[in-house]
Amino acid sequence: MLKLDITSARKFLPENWLTSRLDALGTAHTMLKEGNGPGGEFTGWVHLPRDFEQEELRRIREAAGRIRANSQVLVVIGIGGSYLGARAVIELLDSADHKLASTGGPEIFFAGNGLSSDALAALLDYVADRDFSVNVISKSGTTTEPAVAFRIFRALLEKKYGKEGARTRIYATTDACRGALKGLAETKGYEAFVVPDAVGGRYSVLTAVGLLPIAVAGVDMEALLAGAAEARTALLVPGSENPAWQYAAARNALYESGKRVELLVGYEPAFRFFGEWWKQLYGESEGKQGRGLFPASVEFTADLHSMGQYIQQGERMLMETVVSFQRTHREILIPNDPDNVDGLNFLTGKSIQFVAEQAMRGTLLAHADGGVPNMVLKAQGRDPRTVGQLIYFFEYACGLSGYLLGVNPFDQPGVEAYKKNMFALLGKPGYEERREELLQRL
Ligand code: PA5
């Protein structure tokens, strides 16, 4: 299982950082487990890895098999919690040697997660003369960005394969009974998967939302779920030894001591989108009522040469959480050079991983010396089981952390503000009054 090392944060924490929070953590833990705290109706993810319906898994596996057999490309349309988890897992489990790509599955592209005309046009060009399928994902079924992208890809599919051919290439993941996408899926006869009512977007990666694209990519989703189930069993044991309790307590104590930004640090380029997923999870769960650590992410060692200066000596509001994988897929040894012109022979025979480990240890010490507390979450390797553990760890710790902060970690009222203005400016019926008001201000 995962281990949390807080050695390099300890000197920044008061002696009672954990003991003084144990009661509150116990209460938060019970609220998550029983689903009876603020937003409790959205805590279905807590027990999901244990209770996942086998029939739903079978349907996901079959649909993934069909897509793998008839498509060179899968276009995954969704935004926020409806795409970040899938992309995080797929990229993290792929690697420089593109192991997933070499399993013969389709290429996977993500669309409908913004409003870039150029990005959309480039993807439309790319799929035009390739066989492709679409997985459109929206819990509400009404989000503008994916809805617009879906209308465009649906038109292309219908033009290319006819209405019936398109029908068999569209997979809709949405609410069981509400929303425009649900209606469309029913009317058109698309195969549909359900986003459970009790699971909000950012906690939905281990539902069909994430699992269908993940299975299409060739990831062993049973192992992913098994890892999450293992983490669930381990982390639902209350107490001061629980690493999720420690993480939630430490970040809460550091926030109270004046830290304002948490950097999630990865040493693998493949980790980048896991950072994006984590940012949404923590940002949307905690950033409300004028409170919350701002979640950001960096990729070391690359960003040590860009952000490193600020981290070491800029405003002292930062804390870091490093996710460190203990195993690499492949080892590369540094060769000897008899001339030693570059002066690197002191590294002869050492592995790149060894060099990376020393870089990490040196950075932890340097940043702690510079006033940046850091914690290290040690994970085994980049394999589905471990990634399932990581997902569950961060979700559960996020629920605890939100409750410690005194917010509802399962709503996102702030996301509506821009949508209302956009609808008004676009002339959506029902927003006339706001439109008048905004036009006067612009
Ligand atoms: O976490 C969330 O609830 C949001 O990020 C949503 O996932 C995002 O806004 C997309 O919503 P929907 O799936 O309803 O299209």
Side-chain angles (χ1 to χ4, degrees):
M1 254 297 287
L2 308 168
K3 290 200 169 55
L4 186 72
D5 181 351
I6 58 154
T7 314
S8 301
R10 211 172 271 283
K11 72 174 179 185
F12 300 91
L13 291 165
E15 209 168 304
N16 65 351
W17 66 277
L18 184 54
T19 49
S20 63
R21 288 174 175 78
L22 285 177
D23 285 350
L25 282 164
T27 306
H29 167 82
T30 306
M31 290 195 292
L32 291 177
K33 227 175 119 184
E34 308 295 331
N36 59 7
E41 66 277 27
F42 294 114
T43 49
W45 55 271
V46 173
H47 302 299
L48 196 66
R50 180 196 63 188
D51 300 341
F52 205 97
E53 260 184 50
Q54 290 309 307
E55 173 56 16
E56 179 82 339
L57 264 191
R58 186 194 59 74
R59 285 206 312 123
I60 293 172
R61 208 179 299 116
E62 276 184 17
R66 249 176 285 133
I67 296 168
R68 284 175 70 85
N70 71 7
S71 304
Q72 295 166 284
V73 174
L74 172 68
V75 179
V76 179
I77 298 178
I79 196 165
S82 289
Y83 97 104
L84 283 167
R87 186 158 183 185
V89 171
I90 292 168
E91 294 199 5
L92 183 53
L93 290 174
D94 211 348
S95 54
D97 54 1
H98 297 293
K99 274 175 68 180
L100 291 178
S102 69
T103 64
E107 291 182 278
I108 298 184
F109 290 94
F110 294 88
N113 52 57
L115 288 166
S116 161
S117 181
D118 289 345
L120 194 58
L123 187 53
L124 287 164
D125 286 349
Y126 190 77
V127 297
D129 53 4
R130 289 172 168 82
D131 280 318
F132 74 101
S133 296
V134 165
N135 179 199
V136 54
I137 308 170
S138 177
K139 183 173 183 184
S140 63
T142 55
T143 308
T144 308
E145 291 90 333
V148 167
F150 181 49
R151 184 183 272 212
I152 292 167
F153 278 98
R154 180 162 50 98
L156 180 60
L157 276 171
E158 288 180 353
K159 189 166 155 217
K160 198 171 157 116
Y161 298 103
K163 282 200 187 318
E164 177 53 21
R167 184 188 69 74
T168 63
R169 288 176 174 272
I170 294 174
Y171 300 82
T173 307
T174 189
D175 189 86
C177 21
R178 284 179 297 267
L181 181 56
K182 173 69 189 164
L184 195 58
E186 268 176 10
T187 313
K188 301 267 185 181
Y190 304 145
E191 173 151 20
F193 293 91
V194 171
V195 191
D197 270 350
V199 182
R202 59 190 174 274
Y203 292 84
S204 69
V205 54
L206 298 178
T207 70
V209 169
L211 292 178
L212 179 56
I214 284 169
V216 173
V219 173
D220 180 349
M221 60 172 176
E222 279 84 358
L224 190 74
L225 285 170
E230 272 166 19
R232 177 187 166 278
T233 304
L235 297 176
L236 290 189
V237 177
S240 57
E241 297 300 311
N242 185 317
W245 283 38
Q246 294 170 359
Y247 177 58
R251 62 198 302 285
N252 184 263
L254 291 168
Y255 177 67
E256 290 197 348
S257 76
K259 299 303 176 194
R260 289 293 172 262
V261 177
E262 180 178 9
L263 295 173
L264 189 77
V265 181
Y267 278 78
E268 294 288 341
F271 189 73
R272 185 174 298 165
F273 257 84
F274 197 91
E276 297 301 317
W277 169 81
W278 173 89
K279 276 154 59 176
Q280 187 204 0
L281 182 63
Y282 280 77
E284 252 182 25
S285 298
E286 294 198 315
K288 48 198 78 160
Q289 297 167 220
R291 296 175 63 72
L293 282 162
F294 181 84
S297 60
V298 284
E299 183 187 319
F300 289 171
T301 59
D303 287 342
L304 288 172
H305 298 260
S306 56
M307 301 302 290
Q309 172 58 37
Y310 190 104
I311 297 170
Q312 192 67 43
Q313 294 183 327
E315 197 168 338
R316 300 300 70 196
M317 59 178 178
L318 303 173
M319 56 169 286
E320 288 176 319
T321 300
V322 180
V323 176
S324 165
F325 293 97
Q326 309 296 292
R327 279 197 313 264
T328 53
H329 292 302
R330 296 167 68 178
E331 193 173 77
I332 298 179
L333 300 182
I334 297 169
N336 187 49
D337 176 1
D339 299 331
N340 195 25
V341 185
D342 54 14
L344 280 181
N345 272 359
F346 71 102
L347 292 177
T348 297
K350 300 276 194 301
S351 68
I352 298 285
Q353 175 67 359
F354 172 80
V355 178
E357 276 161 19
Q358 308 324 307
M360 187 180 102
R361 293 169 72 198
T363 305
L364 289 174
L365 293 172
H367 287 181
D369 289 346
V372 180
N374 42 63
M375 297 184 268
V376 182
L377 185 63
K378 293 184 177 165
Q380 288 177 343
R382 283 185 300 124
D383 53 78
R385 214 175 187 101
T386 305
V387 173
Q389 293 173 0
L390 276 174
I391 289 169
Y392 196 89
F393 173 90
F394 280 120
E395 288 182 348
Y396 172 65
C398 186
L400 291 177
S401 190
Y403 283 147
L404 282 190
L405 192 65
V407 300
N408 173 353
F410 305 111
D411 65 0
Q412 54 284 329
V415 180
E416 292 308 308
Y418 102 90
K419 287 188 192 168
K420 286 182 188 148
N421 286 352
M422 179 177 70
F423 290 151
L425 293 171
L426 287 170
K428 186 171 177 172
Y431 290 81
E432 294 76 7
E433 213 173 297
R434 184 181 281 254
R435 179 179 167 80
E436 287 312 308
E437 189 238 320
L438 291 180
L439 287 178
Q440 276 171 20
R441 283 169 54 199
L442 284 172

